[in-house]
């Protein structure tokens, strides 16, 4: 079942079963989470909540430069600010002509799906609701400890439970 995600009907189409996709497929177009370190000037790129393949398991929020963990309040504040930037990007409502030769962009809501400038191409939203949903879901997956532990095997859960600093950080 395919559903149009745009009010113009001309935008990208997404599969309604998007949630059934694997995390890698669903989040492949998402921007990575990059946080400035709370303690040094480096940038902390978070790819997963923790690395359970390491011995002992390490937090995904550990700074590679100074080795410190940002506080939970700091992470929550930065995630809120980052989520707001994606929401603002969606609500800016920019549309773009799909014809590469035209390149027409505007923030005005189009009356039809046909480009008002070249009359050949279709207009689509620059940042669709599906992209916003996937990006916010990705950010949530990086901090959702309960869902993360449900996906782990029993052996890895035991290894994770033996690392007390992960519970404190996550």
């Amino acid at each position: 079942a395919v559903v149009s995600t745009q009010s113009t009907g001309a935008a990208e189409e997404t599969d309604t079963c998007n949630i059934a996709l694997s995390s890698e497929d669903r989040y492949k177009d998402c921007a990575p989470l990059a946080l400035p370190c709370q303690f040094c000037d480096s940038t902390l790129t978070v790819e997963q909540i923790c690395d359970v393949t390491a011995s002992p398991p390490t937090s995904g929020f550990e700074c590679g430069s100074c080795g410190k963990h940002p506080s939970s309040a700091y992470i929550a504040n930065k995630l809120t600010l980052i989520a707001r930037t994606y929401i603002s990007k969606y609500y800016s409502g920019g549309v773009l002509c799909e014809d590469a030769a035209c390149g027409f962009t505007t923030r005005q809501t189009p009356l039809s799906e046909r480009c008002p400038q070249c009359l050949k191409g279709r207009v689509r939203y620059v940042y669709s609701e599906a992209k916003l949903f996937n990006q916010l879901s990705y950010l949530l997956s990086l901090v959702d400890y309960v869902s993360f532990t449900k996906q782990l095997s029993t052996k890895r859960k035991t290894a994770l439970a033996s690392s007390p600093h992960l519970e404190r950080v996550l």
Side-chain angles (χ1 to χ4, degrees), residues 85-144:
T85 60
Y86 292 118
I87 293 168
S88 295
K89 187 176 179 180
Y90 168 73
Y91 279 116
S92 70
V95 292
L96 170 73
C97 178
E98 291 179 338
D99 187 1
C102 177
F104 176 73
T105 59
T106 185
R107 288 184 53 200
Q108 294 179 351
T109 304
L111 297 176
S112 71
E113 60 183 52
R114 182 172 291 207
C115 176
Q117 185 170 337
C118 71
L119 302 175
K120 292 186 279 184
R122 295 179 359 162
V123 292
R124 63 172 175 82
Y125 284 96
V126 175
Y127 199 74
S128 68
E129 58 204 28
K131 286 182 184 178
L132 176 65
F133 175 79
N134 285 338
Q135 185 67 49
L136 295 179
S137 296
Y138 173 68
L139 293 176
L140 177 63
S141 74
L142 293 176
V143 294
D144 191 358

